[in-house]
Amino acid sequence: MSASDRISEVQDEAVAAIEAADDPEALERLRIQYLGRKAELPQLLRTIPQLEPAERAAIGAAGNAARGQIERALELKEADLAAGEIAADDAIDVSLPGAPSLPVGHVHLITQTRRDIEDVFLGLGFQVAEGPEVELVEYTFDALNTDVTHPSRARTDTFYIDDDTVLRVHTSPVQVRAMIAQPPPIYVIAPGRVYRPDNDATHTPQFHQVEGLAVDEGVTLADLKGTLLAFARAIFGPDRDVLLRPHFFPFTEPSVEVDVSCFNCDAGYMRDGSRCPLCKGSGWLEVLGAGMVDPNVFDYVREYGYDPDKVTGFAFGMGVERIAMLRHGVPDLRLYFDGDLRFLRQFGAR
Ligand code: DAH
């Protein structure tokens, strides 16, 4: 008899015996008989690595499927017997699983990634701050040194509720709210949802950011770099390095864009000499924007204890979707929000 015939014979025999079992002890004996260490099916599964490569996949799949069927039959029977016990005692044991117990789901990849990012900064001593998604124009732009002529303020680039209120385009206004709420020193991150009128493979109208703000006496760009290096290593692996490139943001001076060394290749090239598809051969992945808090931002909250002559600070902002995209090779941001379980379930095993 071939191995796969034997597998289906064992499965049929086991399932029939399980269905006929009439008490939990008998069921436990069957579990050991068919799935225990010395049982035939688990033994056979253990020999799969030694099989001919051609056979391995088919036997492995058949064996695992049979084990799954037997486990399922055991679960169903167990629930069945437990339900019978309840009926017999006429009392409800709320500690018993539902019958049949339903599989629990898992949190969305974006939630997992946001929590991972939060964990890194909580570990570095930051606290989590929050702000509203419907935000004042004043906190979104003016307090952040963003001139009325700045293109991001245009009606085509921001969802306006009315002249004074927008759906926030970034989490940066939480910097202002946090400083109003608390004098320095302050070390906060602000995770949350943001909105922009864009929609294509790399932009969705709603996405998530994590903002960071550290203000104290004597904070320097070196502190920013060290903090981001710790972040990069925690999220992308212990061998990562960071690169700060000059850039412009209205609320920081100097401003930088921050790259993390690519974790998928060696300086842009794969082991076989081909160009790395993730970093496109550059060896670097752009992950966030950052900089030293502009004195004009402190000036706006001066009365809350932020004297630009006494304190300095750094700030940064990153896209959660982008971090998850890089980490897991997600090709299109829209996949996060389509709700297709074939995509989402790949990120369930945590
Ligand atoms: N708010 C910026 C954006 O949405 C990101 C950012 C850049 C935040 C630099 C910061 C910063 O705090 O310092 O593109």
Side-chain angles (χ1 to χ4, degrees):
M1 184 185 298
S2 76
S4 38
D5 286 346
R6 180 60 193 150
I7 288 170
S8 64
E9 197 173 80
V10 171
Q11 172 183 331
D12 292 346
E13 183 189 310
V15 171
I18 290 163
E19 279 168 2
D22 48 17
D23 62 71
E25 292 73 32
L27 202 59
E28 191 49 32
R29 278 196 298 276
L30 291 169
R31 182 195 306 281
I32 294 165
Q33 181 179 340
Y34 289 105
L35 297 179
R37 271 193 59 74
K38 298 200 187 109
E40 185 175 351
L41 184 61
Q43 297 253 26
L44 192 140
L45 285 171
R46 254 172 260 136
T47 64
I48 286 173
Q50 283 113 54
L51 293 178
E52 289 296 313
E55 281 184 317
R56 236 179 261 160
I59 306 273
N64 281 318
R67 180 167 56 191
Q69 290 295 329
I70 298 173
E71 282 167 351
R72 177 95 186 120
L74 283 164
E75 252 171 56
L76 286 173
K77 191 65 191 183
E78 200 171 21
D80 225 36
L81 291 174
E85 251 174 51
I86 291 173
D89 293 357
D90 202 20
I92 290 181
D93 179 350
V94 294
S95 68
L96 288 172
S101 50
L102 295 170
V104 290
H106 62 84
V107 295
H108 193 281
L109 176 60
I110 293 305
T111 308
Q112 292 177 29
T113 308
R114 190 203 75 216
R115 289 182 183 171
D116 288 347
I117 298 167
E118 285 172 3
D119 283 350
V120 175
F121 289 102
L122 290 174
L124 292 172
F126 285 71
Q127 291 183 326
V128 174
E130 286 184 335
E133 291 169 27
V134 179
E135 181 57 281
L136 296 173
V137 167
E138 188 183 345
Y139 290 171
T140 310
F141 298 120
D142 301 302
L144 292 167
N145 197 36
T146 308
D147 189 83
V148 280
T149 61
H150 195 277
S152 68
R153 297 181 68 143
R155 305 263 154 180
T156 47
D157 282 319
T158 297
F159 290 113
Y160 278 80
I161 305 287
D162 59 35
D163 287 349
D164 305 320
T165 329
V166 294
L167 293 184
R168 63 180 180 191
V169 296
H170 51 186
T171 42
S172 306
V174 187
Q175 289 186 34
V176 181
R177 289 180 176 273
M179 287 191 282
I180 288 174
Q182 181 196 322
I186 187 171
Y187 292 83
V188 289
I189 54 164
R193 218 172 264 136
V194 301
Y195 302 84
R196 290 181 199 176
D198 295 321
N199 202 10
D200 58 43
T202 51
H203 302 86
T204 48
Q206 177 251 97
F207 60 104
H208 301 77
Q209 290 187 332
V210 176
E211 190 78 14
L213 174 71
V215 184
D216 207 334
E217 286 177 23
V219 172
T220 70
L221 192 71
D223 297 314
L224 170 63
K225 189 169 182 185
T227 303
L228 295 176
L229 183 61
F231 158 76
R233 291 184 172 171
I235 295 291
F236 294 107
D239 300 329
R240 301 280 64 76
D241 207 349
V242 292
L243 174 71
L244 273 47
R245 284 180 290 106
H247 196 71
F248 173 80
F249 295 105
F251 31 89
T252 42
E253 183 59 37
S255 302
V256 290
E257 271 189 333
V258 182
D259 294 349
V260 171
S261 56
C262 186
F263 54 84
N264 191 47
C265 63
D266 184 12
Y269 290 89
M270 308 301 284
R271 216 170 272 169
D272 67 3
S274 63
R275 208 170 69 128
C276 173
L278 189 64
C279 66
K280 309 273 184 294
S282 75
W284 296 97
L285 301 166
E286 184 188 326
V287 290
L288 56 89
M292 298 306 290
V293 178
D294 193 295
N296 290 344
V297 174
F298 287 141
D299 203 37
Y300 187 88
V301 290
R302 181 189 283 272
E303 62 184 294
Y304 301 95
Y306 292 84
D307 179 345
D309 291 328
K310 294 216 177 87
V311 291
T312 53
F314 65 71
F316 57 84
M318 67 183 85
V320 179
E321 282 76 4
R322 179 159 175 80
I323 302 285
M325 189 174 208
L326 292 171
R327 232 175 160 192
H328 300 284
V330 177
D332 187 325
L333 279 191
R334 291 169 293 201
L335 285 165
Y336 292 129
F337 307 115
D338 282 348
D340 187 331
L341 293 175
R342 291 170 302 180
F343 170 74
L344 297 173
R345 283 194 177 130
Q346 296 175 65
F347 309 102
R350 295 216 301 170

